[in-house]
Amino acid sequence: MTSRSTAPPWAAALAGLTAAAVAVGVGQLASGVIGGDSSPVVAVGNAAVDLSPAWLKNWAIATFGENDKVVLLGGIFVVIALLAAGFGVLARIRLGYGRLALLAFGVLGAWAAATRPDAGMLDVLPSLLAAWAGASTLSRLFRRLEPVEEPGEEPVENPMEEPAEEAAGPEPLEQPPVMLAGERLRTIDRRRLFTGIATGAGVAVVTGAAGVWIGDRNNVAAERAQVAAELPKPAKPLPPLPAGVDFRVPNLSPFVTPNHDFYRVDTALALPNVDPNTWTLKIHGMVDRPIELTFADLLKRPIVEADLTLACVSNPVGGPYVGNARWLGVAMAGVLREAGIKAGADMLLSTSADGWTAGTPVEVVMDGRNALFAFAMNGEPLPVAHGFPVRQVVPGLYGYVSATKWVVDVKLTRFDEETAYWTDRGWDAKGPIKTQSRIDTPRNKTKPGRNVIAGVAWAQTKGIAKVEVKVDDGPWQEAKLAEVPGLDTWRQWSIEVDLASGLHNLSCRATDETGETQTDRGAPPEPNGATGYHQVLIETT
Ligand SMILES: Nc1nc2c(c(=O)[nH]1)N[C@H]1C(S)=C(S)[C@@H](COP(=O)(O)O)O[C@H]1N2
Ligand SMILES: [Mo]
């Protein structure tokens, strides 16, 4: 069909939507078989994440937090649906235009998949297959949109569906006329259209579900269970945490953040499934002897156990992007010493399996602190979302300059020669953590009278020496501090106060062991971490 379609726009839009649904389903199925980030939707989403301006990303993290990916995927689906409906309407003008638009969309998906840092040759296939499936669905549905001529005319197409004897004398049509073309009434056969759409929807659901199911089988759950079964012991196990680390006040963050509650911040729309059996870590660049470690090599080295609080630079004052865990890993310094750092190298550029990068100061990693290539968190292998099989953790640095998850490559280089993911987007090259404190409870309402105010404070590598709390315009009062196993974790604090009924403004401030009290000057997270006192307005009733 090459001429303008007489189908009503709603029917054309539905055909476009159905074609896109089939395309997405087929793309999902193909990517499930191929694996990786090749799903057209995920590929386009990942490209959108990387190409979107820094302010938009910062806004998304600040506004949607850990739901930012769900919101992004939802948004992508809405955009796809709107475009697809538009492509359908476009196909009324000329079917080829609609097909071309779908194919162009497929090429965009293929481009997005092929330009992922971890892309393989096959990754363009799902998008191209999706585009082909979408375009051919559109053609099929448009065939069903062709007008059924008034009695006396030959059916335009599909003689197979119309028995010959009926073609000679079809029943008068019941459908209302939708368009007057020439002198003849032309209608669409709604039943044919809707069975076509139902078939398309069925294909979309079955291929999509099969793709998700097959894709799930590519995941590394079995490999992770294997690592769990053989988790090595630390050379010098830490003593159990003293009971005094935890006040056990309701709504106060527990000293150890359970893995499933641990905040997650990353740019990965689909989690990288990295098989520890094929994983390697390359150390190269300005080194005397480049090395490449397998997972088994790594685990043969002396294992270090460390309590360490991780914090995100995007965390606003009082925000949730901070968590504490007991990690198992291998000292980064030892591995780097084995490779031999050349004079002049001041940056460790680490890259993840999905191509994200962080630039960490060499002097920080080598100064004796517990910087680790970590493989376990709170007694289990790293959860996939937190970097399985291996990630970096560096006490005292924000995650964006240090905590590379799914790490596969470490290059010794120079800050004046290379930049990393977030520094390219306006954040500071070096990200030392700022001393901070947070009120966990109460957060909005409480009863008048005696109340416990409690929270956490952190100043990794320095330690928390003092936390003070202020109620309204009263004096700063010193809170009680919980025990800590070292300087690299957050520290719980609590204080009992009397509160009259009404509104109260609570604030807190921490002083670290170097004697420095956090500044009251408010600053946003960009470009190097939020400052200011956490304040909570509560009502006692
Ligand atoms: N591969 C990869 N690693 C990454 C990131 C990322 O986007 N990709 N984000 C970093 C940031 S900004 C932070 S704060 C920490 C968060 O680690 P978590 O998700 O385990 O809490 O991971 C870091 N490591
Ligand atoms: Mo972060």
Side-chain angles (χ1 to χ4, degrees), residues 169-180:
E171 295 282 306
L173 291 162
E174 282 164 30
Q175 283 82 6
V178 292
M179 193 174 222
L180 210 54

Side-chain angles (χ1 to χ4, degrees), residues 131-156:
W132 166 80
S136 81
T137 304
L138 193 69
S139 301
R140 283 160 187 271
L141 289 174
F142 262 70
R143 234 172 279 148
R144 289 170 182 257
L145 279 175
E146 292 195 3
V148 183
E149 304 278 337
E150 277 295 275
E153 280 293 313
E154 291 280 314
V156 183

Side-chain angles (χ1 to χ4, degrees), residues 220 223-224 227 272-283 291-301 303 328-332 335 350-355 372-376 382 384 386-392 404-410:
V220 288
E223 288 78 2
R224 197 169 163 265
V227 174
N273 281 307
V274 181
D275 183 348
N277 300 309
T278 54
W279 173 90
T280 65
L281 177 63
K282 289 192 187 68
I283 315 282
I291 50 182
E292 183 167 1
L293 296 173
T294 65
F295 193 61
D297 294 338
L298 189 77
L299 266 49
K300 271 187 234 128
R301 306 181 70 93
I303 307 291
L328 276 185
V330 167
M332 290 172 71
V335 175
S350 52
T351 307
S352 66
D354 63 337
L372 302 179
F373 291 118
F375 54 84
L382 292 177
V384 173
H386 295 290
F388 181 81
V390 180
R391 75 173 306 167
Q392 295 181 178
T404 308
K405 305 193 269 190
W406 316 289
V407 64
V408 293
D409 188 289
V410 172

Side-chain angles (χ1 to χ4, degrees), residues 36-51:
D37 266 9
S38 59
S39 152
V41 176
V42 171
V44 169
N46 275 326
V49 170
D50 285 353
L51 295 178

Side-chain angles (χ1 to χ4, degrees), residues 121 142 237 343 498 541:
M121 291 271 283
F142 262 70
D498 279 312
T541 49

Side-chain angles (χ1 to χ4, degrees), residues 263 265 311-314 399-400:
Y263 81 94
V265 170
C312 181
V313 71
S314 300
Y400 81 106

